[in-house]
Amino acid sequence: MVNYRKHMRALYRGDVSWMPSNFQPSTANSIYSGMNYSGTQIAFILCGFVVQQATFLLICGALYGLVSYPQLIVWILQYSRPTIGVTTATLAVQMSLSAFVFSQRKINPTDKDRPLAIDNRKFYHATFYFLFFFNVMVGLLTTLLRVLLGGFLGGMSQARIDRNVFMQGFENWDFGFKSYLDMLRIEVAHNHPILLVFCQRLLNAAKRRHHMREIKSRRDHNPELRPLLTDVEFSFNSKDARFKKRLKLKWFVLYTIVRNPTVVGTRKHVIGRMEESERDHV
């Protein structure tokens, strides 16, 4: 619901920067995907529950195996302890060199971080060449970690239809996410606050015109009620005129503030608030 409210508010403002750049469906496809949203959401929730339970079962099984057979942990540590020690020490040395040897000093002492400029370049290139094959092995371990984390996060996010699980450029392959976006577009197109207010204004104007026609017809057919109905007609017209005048003045004020933001501080209620805050501080 958090993403839904955030995305709806963004679409109300006309902000589509969070949408995939290649997401430009036709009207027919949007309506079709919007119809499929409810069923797709339920299916994703069910599949996500199954995937999550299977993932937790595998994790619990692995932990149970390690606890039940402690000699397996000893065997793993016995053969991997030197590798883990050398890898950790080498990575710590690389990080220390990057922080204190290869980075230039801050230009200003108040800067948050150092400039992105390499110092001691010859030593940097020598270290880069010397640790090349070591970094290849670290990259292989990182690749395995990336696959495991990607599968785990993808399984945990299976029920989240409001999130895209594919990389940038392949967002349109996630049909669940597409149905979510099309549902948002349809809802915004039919429930936009400005559209609702505009339609309500039209309905109110139509109702007023209908009432005026009824008053005129009754006045023509009932001469004895003509003075009373004339007063009612005058009150309708005067109220409508005052309302239009008030809206026009508010629009002029808004237009003036948008074009000249500095005049906000000269408005009466703003000055009153400032005086109240000054009195409170005193």
Side-chain angles (χ1 to χ4, degrees), residues 193-209 239-248:
I194 297 177
L195 175 65
L196 296 179
V197 172
F198 176 72
C199 293
Q200 188 63 45
R201 292 282 298 162
L202 293 179
L203 290 174
N204 293 337
K207 289 180 180 179
R208 284 195 296 269
R209 288 195 297 268
K239 288 181 180 178
D240 190 57
R242 289 196 300 270
F243 184 72
K244 289 182 179 179
K245 184 177 180 180
R246 188 164 60 252
L247 287 180
K248 190 175 181 180

Side-chain angles (χ1 to χ4, degrees), residues 6-31:
K6 181 177 68 175
H7 293 160
M8 287 294 292
R9 286 194 294 266
L11 291 178
Y12 286 157
R13 297 191 302 268
D15 181 13
V16 295
S17 59
W18 56 273
M19 281 188 173
S21 58
N22 57 353
F23 179 74
Q24 297 177 353
S26 62
T27 301
N29 287 333
S30 296
I31 295 175

Side-chain angles (χ1 to χ4, degrees), residues 175-212:
F175 296 103
F177 185 65
K178 284 179 61 179
S179 65
Y180 170 73
L181 295 181
D182 288 324
M183 181 273 298
L184 291 181
R185 293 177 69 242
I186 292 174
E187 189 165 350
V188 170
H190 293 82
N191 295 319
H192 198 286
I194 297 177
L195 175 65
L196 296 179
V197 172
F198 176 72
C199 293
Q200 188 63 45
R201 292 282 298 162
L202 293 179
L203 290 174
N204 293 337
K207 289 180 180 179
R208 284 195 296 269
R209 288 195 297 268
H210 178 68
H211 289 318
M212 293 301 300

